[in-house]
């Protein structure tokens, strides 16, 4: 994978003759370990259990699943169906699977998809960094960094590009209950890159905004509908409502492959429900009485009217998104 050897974050996902090698994100931040998937089943388990996660990384993982099936001489259509079913919200998973399926050489195609993801994220980052002023205090949610992609990151890539261009951004990291992608992964990445960051509990966002300590919110997306409604990690919608109330810009950064023109509005985006254990257990300890009813929807949908701009790899879209996203896709 073409990655500067000086990159402090290792490649999220790599292909090596019939094997997919992943950073096992379940071990972070204490343990930087790797896991290998040699079959579609093993890869699907890695996706379902969040060893690999984040929409663009799932796109690459989906394509690599097809490459694995093709390498092993297995039925590609059955593999595609199995992979796409693992996580329903992130449209990039389906996008990656379809791209590999459409190629005469799925292995060559996955290498290109991974390299292209890093190139596109760097472009998106450079475009988005223009929106940040000197010393911006940026609130982010979940993990949208290198670990969520083949490399570099989307929303975190924007912050990283601003840092690299000498704008000295500072990041408020929302811990992101229940799986804690913010505290486990984003705080880890920012520390490795050397960007100042402060961790907050998710529910502290309102008072920080009220105190005038947030200049903008910058988040990623798992799927963007044709009208600009944005599905992202649960809690994103609350931040958008808060940002509007406090007159703070709310930016979404995502590659165009995250836009699903087949979904006219956010209402048709499927929202993944995850196991209750994620909410009631932590580090082997029970946090709620046995038998407590749990609703663990992993994503929410932010209406387009709350989104200040959508930063893509091909340009920045403004309202009305139905028109601007289409124009960028052309
Ligand atoms: O459940 P996850 O960790 O896969 O959720 C990830 C997110 O919600 C990210 O914000 C989104 O995928 C964009 S990643 C660049």
């Amino acid at each position: 994978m073409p990655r500067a050897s000086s990159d402090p974050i290792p490649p999220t996902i790599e292909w090596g003759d019939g094997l997919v090698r992943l950073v096992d994100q379940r071990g972070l931040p204490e343990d930087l370990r790797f896991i290998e998937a040699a079959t579609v089943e093993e890869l699907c388990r890695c996706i379902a259990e969040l060893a690999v996660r984040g929409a663009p990384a799932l796109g690459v993982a989906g394509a690599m699943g097809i490459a694995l099936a093709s390498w092993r001489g297995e039925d590609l259509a059955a593999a595609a169906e199995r992979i796409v079913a693992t996580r329903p919200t992130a449209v990039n998973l389906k996008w990656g699977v379809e791209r590999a399926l459409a190629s005469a050489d799925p292995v060559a195609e996955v290498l290109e998809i991974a390299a292209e993801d890093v190139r596109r994220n760097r472009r998106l980052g450079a475009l988005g960094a223009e929106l940040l002023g000197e010393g911006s205090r940026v609130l982010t949610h979940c993990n949208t960094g290198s670990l969520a992609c083949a490399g570099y990151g989307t929303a975190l890539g924007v912050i990283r590009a601003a840092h690299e261009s000498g704008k000295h951004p500072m990041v408020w990291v929302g811990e992101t209950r229940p799986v804690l992608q913010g505290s486990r992964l984003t705080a880890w990445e920012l520390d490795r890159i050397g960007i100042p960051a402060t961790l907050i509990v998710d529910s502290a966002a309102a008072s920080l905004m009220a105190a005038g300590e947030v200049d903008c919110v910058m988040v990623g997306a798992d799927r963007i509908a044709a009208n600009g409604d944005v599905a992202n990690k649960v809690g994103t919608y609350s931040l958008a409502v808060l940002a509007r109330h406090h007159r703070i810009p709310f930016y979404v950064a995502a590659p165009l492959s995250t836009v699903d023109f087949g979904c006219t509005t956010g209402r048709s985006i499927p929202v993944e429900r995850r196991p209750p254990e994620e909410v009631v257990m932590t580090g082997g300890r029970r946090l709620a009485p046995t038998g407590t009813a749990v609703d663990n929807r992993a994503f929410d949908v932010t209406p387009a009217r709350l989104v200040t701009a959508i930063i893509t790899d091909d340009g920045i879209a403004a309202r009305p998104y139905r028109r601007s996203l289409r124009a960028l896709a052309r």
Side-chain angles (χ1 to χ4, degrees):
M1 182 178 300
R3 176 83 68 95
S5 56
S6 59
D7 196 316
I9 320 279
T12 306
I13 179 163
E14 288 183 299
W15 173 265
D17 292 350
L19 271 184
V20 179
R21 182 175 186 262
L22 306 157
V23 172
D24 184 347
Q25 300 189 30
R26 294 167 296 186
L28 290 169
E30 297 104 322
D31 187 13
L32 174 58
R33 62 184 191 225
F34 295 84
I35 185 168
E36 286 177 348
T39 64
V40 171
E41 247 352 273
E42 285 172 9
L43 184 66
C44 285
R45 205 170 316 125
C46 289
I47 296 173
E49 294 177 4
L50 309 184
V52 60
R53 32 66 49 204
L58 290 175
V60 180
M64 287 195 185
I66 297 302
L68 271 183
S70 143
W71 184 272
R72 295 166 62 87
E74 291 169 359
D75 180 343
L76 298 191
E81 200 177 327
R82 172 77 188 90
I83 296 163
V84 169
T86 51
R87 296 207 68 194
T89 305
V91 74
N92 296 66
L93 183 58
K94 183 162 161 273
W95 172 91
V97 162
E98 284 173 359
R99 240 185 94 165
L101 277 179
S103 167
D105 183 349
V107 170
E109 187 68 8
V110 296
L111 299 178
E112 174 50 26
I113 291 174
E116 191 183 294
D117 179 65
V118 181
R119 279 198 305 272
R120 286 181 174 274
N121 290 340
R122 286 187 177 275
R123 199 155 72 214
L124 180 159
L127 286 170
E130 296 291 320
L131 299 172
L132 301 186
E134 162 66 28
S136 270
R137 298 158 303 171
V138 185
L139 173 58
T140 193
H141 192 56
C142 198
N143 172 264
T144 60
S146 183
L147 290 167
C149 305
Y152 202 73
T154 58
L156 220 56
V158 170
I159 297 166
R160 186 168 174 175
H163 167 75
E164 287 165 358
S165 68
K167 284 188 163 177
H168 306 104
M170 173 271 164
V171 188
W172 294 113
V173 180
E175 61 178 351
T176 317
R177 276 281 292 155
V179 181
L180 303 175
Q181 290 92 335
S183 58
R184 292 190 307 103
L185 309 177
T186 300
W188 181 82
E189 283 199 37
L190 291 170
D191 178 56
R192 287 210 149 201
I193 301 167
I195 299 178
T198 301
L199 183 65
I200 57 166
V201 296
D202 297 325
S203 43
S207 50
L208 275 181
M209 289 185 191
E213 295 189 51
V214 179
D215 295 313
C216 69
V217 178
M218 182 78 66
V219 295
D222 278 79
R223 190 184 302 220
I224 301 175
N227 72 339
D229 290 348
V230 174
N232 192 47
K233 180 54 57 193
V234 67
T236 302
Y237 179 26
S238 326
L239 292 176
V241 172
L242 290 172
R244 172 57 56 89
H245 179 77
H246 294 96
R247 299 177 203 282
I248 293 167
F250 180 90
Y251 298 121
V252 173
L256 272 178
S257 51
T258 301
V259 181
D260 182 356
F261 290 101
C263 283
T264 27
T265 74
R267 272 195 299 278
S268 37
I269 299 178
V271 171
E272 179 184 358
R273 309 288 172 133
R274 294 199 47 90
E277 288 72 29
E278 287 184 349
V279 178
V280 298
M281 299 293 293
T282 192
R285 184 157 177 261
R286 178 161 279 284
L287 302 175
T290 308
T292 301
V294 174
D295 182 322
N296 186 15
R297 56 193 77 197
F299 300 96
D300 59 26
V301 179
T302 299
R305 66 176 179 283
L306 298 179
V307 179
T308 310
I310 299 177
I311 305 158
T312 79
D313 43 330
D314 276 324
I316 298 178
R319 284 192 295 266
Y321 294 115
R322 200 176 291 285
R323 197 178 313 147
S324 57
L325 289 173
R326 271 274 174 219
L328 288 179
R330 277 196 290 269

